[in-house]
Structures are given as C-alpha cells and as structure tokens.
Amino acid sequence: MDSGGTTHERTAFRQFTAAQESAWVAASTAGITTLLSLANSVIGPGANLRQNLPSLVAAAALAIAAVLFARRLVPVPLVPWVGAGLAVTLVAALHIQEYTYFSSTGLMYSLFVITAYGPIALDFRVFSVAAIPMAAGSVLVALSQGSMTALD
C-alpha cells in the first residue's frame, strides 16, 4: 500500500504534467474545432455559419484558455478541472448543434471529444466528473431525435 507521500507525489506529477501539456492541447483543439466548424459552415449539412456558432464560441473559449495556460495564469491544481470544464463546454456546444440541427456527424464529433478527453485528463476523478454529463448528454440528444437508429 502506498504511503501518503507517494500518493501526493503522483498527484503532483499528474497536475504538473497537465499544466505543461494543457496549453498546446487547448490551442490544438481550438484550431481543429474552428477548422471543422468553418468547413461545416461551407460544405456541411445545412452549410450555415449560424448552425456552427456554438462550436466557434467553444473554440474561442479554448483559445483563451490556451493563452492562460501558456502564461501559467491558472494554478496547477486547477488545470485538470479547467480542462474538464472546457471539454464539457465543447461537448455542450456540439450537443446544442446536434439537438437543434441534428446530424450524425455532429454527434460523432462529440463522442470523439469524450473519447479523446479521457487520456489527457490524467485524473480519474476529474475525468468522471466531466465524462458522465458529456456521455449522458450524447444519449439524451440521440434519444431526442426519436431513435438511437438515427445514428446509423
């Protein structure tokens, strides 16, 4: 069984790693989200910028967070929680789009975010707090469309 010091050291290491990696992860996610939203606005189903506005707002939040992470303005113990909040924000934006303008592509994007978020969370408790509402939201959005077969 680990001593309290070992557990504390592991937690500190995970938090430090999250702080080191969060800036580029947030910036990359903001860039990819922006590109996909703009591409969907031009060639996607409905091809409308207004339909992709929630994702663009989430991308802007990610870009702002990337700057805050890079400048070390977020305290290290809070970095995983801020990352969780950003993941939930992005998935919520995708859920808004999916609910309002249902497309299986949008639902697929939100499931990708949930899956990709797991390994970068570095903390099971933080991951669980974020993943449960994201997954539940995905199920609710799919069910709101009348059937889970709409995903096919």
Side-chain angles (χ1 to χ4, degrees), residues 57-151:
V57 170
L62 283 158
I64 291 167
V67 172
L68 296 176
F69 289 145
R71 293 186 179 179
R72 307 280 189 248
L73 296 175
V74 178
V76 171
L78 294 181
V79 169
W81 292 103
V82 172
L86 291 166
V88 170
T89 300
L90 178 56
V91 170
L94 292 167
H95 286 163
I96 289 168
Q97 287 175 231
E98 295 151 16
Y99 182 78
T100 308
Y101 316 101
F102 185 75
S103 74
S104 56
T105 305
L107 190 54
M108 181 181 65
Y109 289 159
S110 65
L111 295 174
F112 283 161
V113 172
I114 296 167
T115 304
Y117 172 68
I120 62 171
L122 298 175
D123 187 322
F124 184 74
R125 183 178 41 149
V126 174
F127 169 73
S128 298
V129 167
I132 290 170
M134 291 190 291
S138 295
V139 170
L140 291 174
V141 167
L143 291 174
S144 74
Q145 304 305 318
S147 169
M148 289 295 279
T149 58
L151 299 176

Side-chain angles (χ1 to χ4, degrees), residues 19-81:
Q20 292 291 101
E21 303 298 325
S22 291
W24 76 265
V25 169
S28 299
T29 305
I32 290 168
T33 302
T34 300
L35 289 174
L36 289 174
S37 296
L38 293 176
N40 281 336
S41 296
V42 175
I43 61 173
N48 183 331
L49 185 63
R50 189 185 80 211
Q51 291 180 4
N52 291 285
L53 192 59
S55 292
L56 291 169
V57 170
L62 283 158
I64 291 167
V67 172
L68 296 176
F69 289 145
R71 293 186 179 179
R72 307 280 189 248
L73 296 175
V74 178
V76 171
L78 294 181
V79 169
W81 292 103

